[in-house]
Amino acid sequence: MLQLAVRLGLAVVAVPVALAITLLLFPVWSWLEHTTGIESVGHSGPASWCYLAVWVPIATALLLPPLWRLARALLRGPHGHAGT
């Protein structure tokens, strides 16, 4: 469980990284808005969903390994083997 807490902490720390990457992708968001018509860029920068679209994969990559281990542990049961 400590490892999961560490991963959650890393996901929170990933917020500024995702913010920087989103801002660096400004030309991509402008292109996306121009080609698809999806509102991506406003007068104050990228839309909120752009920040989320960058942060979610980063947070997911950090959280998946401990969640898989937790799922396997739950499936194994209290005695360390699968099934009943």
Side-chain angles (χ1 to χ4, degrees), residues 9-34:
L10 288 173
V12 170
V13 170
V15 170
V17 174
L19 177 86
I21 292 171
T22 304
L23 292 174
L24 288 171
L25 289 173
F26 193 85
V28 174
W29 305 126
S30 296
W31 170 83
L32 184 70
E33 182 172 338
H34 178 70

Side-chain angles (χ1 to χ4, degrees), residues 12-64:
V12 170
V13 170
V15 170
V17 174
L19 177 86
I21 292 171
T22 304
L23 292 174
L24 288 171
L25 289 173
F26 193 85
V28 174
W29 305 126
S30 296
W31 170 83
L32 184 70
E33 182 172 338
H34 178 70
T35 56
T36 65
I38 298 171
E39 185 70 33
S40 305
V41 178
H43 66 280
S44 60
S48 300
W49 72 265
C50 297
Y51 294 100
L52 208 57
V54 172
W55 179 80
V56 166
I58 294 171
T60 301
L62 293 170
L63 292 173
L64 273 180

